[in-house]
Amino acid sequence: MGNQVEKLTHLSYKEVPTADPTGVDRDDGPRIGVSYIFSNDDEDVEPQPPPQPQPYDPRLHEVECSVFYRDECIYQKSFAPGSAALSTYTPENLLNKCKPGDLVEFVSQAQYPHWAVYVGNFQVVHLHRLEVINSFLTDASQGRRGRVVNDLYRYKPLSSSAVVRNALAHVGAKERELSWRNSESFAAWCRYGKREFKIGGELRIGKQPYRLQIQLSAQRSHTLEFQSLEDLIMEKRRNDQIGRAAVLQELATHLHPAEPEEGDSNVARTTPPPGRPPAPSSEEEDGEAVAH
């Protein structure tokens, strides 16, 4: 009936039929004029599920460090037992842990950490793309995991109501109206109220009073010195963005340790070599570049 298919079967390409030179059709093999479906696979293969993303592990990606102003420790990120918890949570679970006035940090591999102030009602205020905005926490996270980071800085905090007021008072500030280079400086200023977090909040003259101590191992560390907290935060955030392995490689390759002081054999004070540019005056974060 019409162009009926006489026979339908699966074949490998090696079984493609050819005409017999005698002109005789053989019933025990493929025949000319018969329709076939060709396949490269001798057997059906079950599709493999896509690889699952690895969970975010702060110990693998983040740099353990401390910040000192002269001899006072003002910031510490440590993985030691009993230190401030650095576990991360999905945005939905993080909401259950937040109280108004808390500082929240969203983290992801190879990205700048993003800080925000939780103001209640599932919302945060944060500096994003050259503007201070009010967002739902789940939207501000952009899919990243987060944690409450009230204990990283060791300054005395303002009351929770004052922290929320500071944050809400600057919603809508943008571009030249901004006094902070990044989301961390803005959120920390809201909580602690210290001018050191603002652009130009300190004079950069004289001795460098700030030290960023990067922990290499339980017994070894490198220390970088800065004239202002603002500059130190920029460097610390750059380290967070490039990741722990890259920081350790950079220190091993490019930084030249000075001779340690007597009684301080485990701490090497270092300065960037001439070939390395200084920390930039603007920072790319979530597509934003804050510069004055």
Side-chain angles (χ1 to χ4, degrees):
M1 178 178 179
N3 293 323
Q4 282 187 323
V5 176
E6 183 177 340
K7 181 189 288 186
L8 188 63
T9 183
H10 285 76
L11 292 177
S12 297
Y13 281 109
K14 62 185 178 182
E15 300 177 285
V16 175
T18 57
D20 190 297
T22 64
V24 178
D25 286 335
R26 301 178 182 276
D27 292 332
D28 57 351
R31 297 183 293 120
I32 298 298
V34 177
S35 298
Y36 299 92
I37 296 176
F38 297 102
S39 172
N40 282 322
D41 301 321
D42 292 332
E43 298 179 0
D44 291 335
V45 178
E46 291 293 331
Q48 297 298 317
Q52 295 298 314
Q54 295 296 318
Y56 181 83
D57 186 350
R59 295 174 183 271
L60 294 179
H61 304 304
E62 299 185 28
V63 179
E64 191 172 8
C65 65
S66 300
V67 175
F68 294 86
Y69 176 72
R70 304 193 190 281
D71 295 326
E72 178 188 3
C73 181
I74 61 174
Y75 172 101
Q76 185 175 43
K77 179 189 286 187
S78 173
F79 302 131
S83 59
L86 294 176
S87 300
T88 60
Y89 305 90
T90 64
E92 294 75 15
N93 290 335
L94 183 60
L95 280 170
N96 298 324
K97 300 180 178 296
C98 290
K99 303 182 302 294
D102 283 350
L103 298 188
V104 175
E105 180 185 37
F106 300 110
V107 291
S108 181
Q109 186 177 1
Q111 295 185 24
Y112 286 106
H114 190 74
W115 287 48
V117 179
Y118 185 73
V119 296
N121 296 322
F122 313 110
Q123 298 179 60
V124 295
V125 173
H126 57 125
L127 175 58
H128 177 62
R129 297 185 184 277
L130 291 171
E131 185 176 2
V132 177
I133 60 175
N134 193 349
S135 309
F136 284 107
L137 183 147
T138 50
D139 293 336
S141 73
Q142 295 187 341
R144 291 171 287 192
R145 297 176 68 86
R147 60 195 174 206
V148 175
V149 288
N150 294 336
D151 297 327
L152 290 183
Y153 283 99
R154 296 188 170 185
Y155 294 123
K156 181 180 179 180
L158 304 174
S159 66
S160 59
S161 59
V163 176
V164 171
R165 283 198 304 271
N166 283 343
L168 292 175
H170 289 85
V171 171
K174 62 179 64 176
E175 299 178 353
R176 295 290 174 179
E177 301 170 345
L178 298 173
S179 298
W180 308 271
R181 290 195 185 279
N182 51 66
S183 60
E184 179 176 342
S185 292
F186 170 71
W189 175 84
C190 290
R191 182 168 176 82
Y192 304 106
K194 297 185 74 65
R195 70 177 188 278
E196 288 88 340
F197 290 109
K198 289 189 172 185
I199 296 173
E202 297 173 282
L203 294 177
R204 294 179 175 86
I205 59 175
K207 186 178 179 180
Q208 298 170 311
Y210 290 95
R211 291 182 288 123
L212 174 61
Q213 183 173 302
I214 300 171
Q215 202 69 32
L216 305 180
S217 67
Q219 302 298 328
R220 297 179 59 242
S221 64
H222 274 284
T223 298
L224 298 173
E225 298 180 341
F226 298 85
Q227 286 188 322
S228 71
L229 181 60
E230 177 189 358
D231 291 342
L232 185 149
I233 290 174
M234 296 286 286
E235 177 68 12
K236 179 174 69 69
R237 291 173 62 76
R238 186 190 73 90
N239 291 345
D240 289 334
Q241 190 268 331
I242 66 176
R244 183 176 186 275
V247 170
L248 298 184
Q249 180 63 39
E250 182 180 83
L251 288 172
T253 305
H254 300 296
L255 297 182
H256 308 292
E259 289 297 325
E261 299 177 359
E262 185 177 354
D264 197 21
S265 59
N266 295 327
V267 178
R269 285 176 171 76
T270 63
T271 56
R276 172 179 162 183
S281 59
S282 63
E283 176 179 326
E284 293 290 335
E285 176 192 307
D286 299 331
E288 79 181 35
V290 181
H292 282 244

